[in-house]
Amino acid sequence: FLRASPLVGFGWSWGACRLLAALAAAPALAARFSHLVLVSPTLHFADTPARGETVASMLRALPRHPEAVLAAFRRRLTRRTELADKLCRLPPPGPVAGMTADLEGLRDFRAVLPPLYLPTLLVHGGQDEIIPPEHAAGFSAAFRNLEVHLFADAGHVPFLE
């Protein structure tokens, strides 16, 4: 399957950041894709001191209170209470060490991402508290064939809202 070309690259949130990291590390990889679909992505997660402190406080609390940190994060994914309640009942995505490594791996892709000419669909929620919709504007510099769809009433999980 992975040898088939062309592929459609898809990433949501941190998954979109991982896709961007792969494209930044190996620009020739872009030739394997026909399109990209990025949902609630960012090129620079800790773009303000307040957001950087949010990540730092999560890193400090995660080893001691992983369930509480995860529940607080999941509550911010959506403004819909019943959906947030369902998300909070999901099991953890993996061990604390993996979640910590993910947070520590957040980086700024603006300077390292080469210009991409792939047709790219960027989907974002207008009420996203994790990655504000303003982050979508930063993609036009690196993505030359970009289409942005903003779902005004959705949060960080627009595909569920």
Side-chain angles (χ1 to χ4, degrees), residues 107-145:
R107 60 185 285 198
D108 185 346
F109 296 104
R110 294 173 296 181
V112 297
L113 193 64
L116 293 170
Y117 296 90
L118 290 167
T120 301
L121 173 63
L122 192 149
V123 178
H124 216 109
Q127 304 299 316
D128 192 336
E129 293 182 23
I130 306 296
I131 300 174
E134 296 80 34
H135 281 234
F139 280 81
S140 61
F143 290 79
R144 306 294 196 245
N145 192 356

Side-chain angles (χ1 to χ4, degrees), residues 3-85:
R3 286 186 238 170
S5 283
L7 301 170
V8 174
F10 176 85
W12 166 57
S13 188
W14 182 236
C17 289
R18 287 183 175 198
L19 179 57
L20 294 174
L23 292 170
L29 183 63
R32 300 280 314 276
F33 295 99
S34 65
H35 295 76
L36 297 177
V37 179
L38 305 173
V39 180
S40 304
T42 184
L43 292 171
H44 182 46
F45 190 83
D47 59 329
T48 66
R51 291 176 65 73
E53 178 51 35
T54 298
V55 172
S57 84
M58 288 175 74
L59 279 168
R60 287 190 299 270
L62 200 51
R64 295 186 315 273
H65 309 288
E67 295 84 9
V69 171
L70 190 56
F73 174 78
R74 287 178 170 171
R75 292 233 169 262
R76 293 182 65 209
L77 293 175
T78 178
R79 295 176 65 196
R80 294 185 169 88
T81 304
E82 66 185 50
L83 178 55
D85 290 343

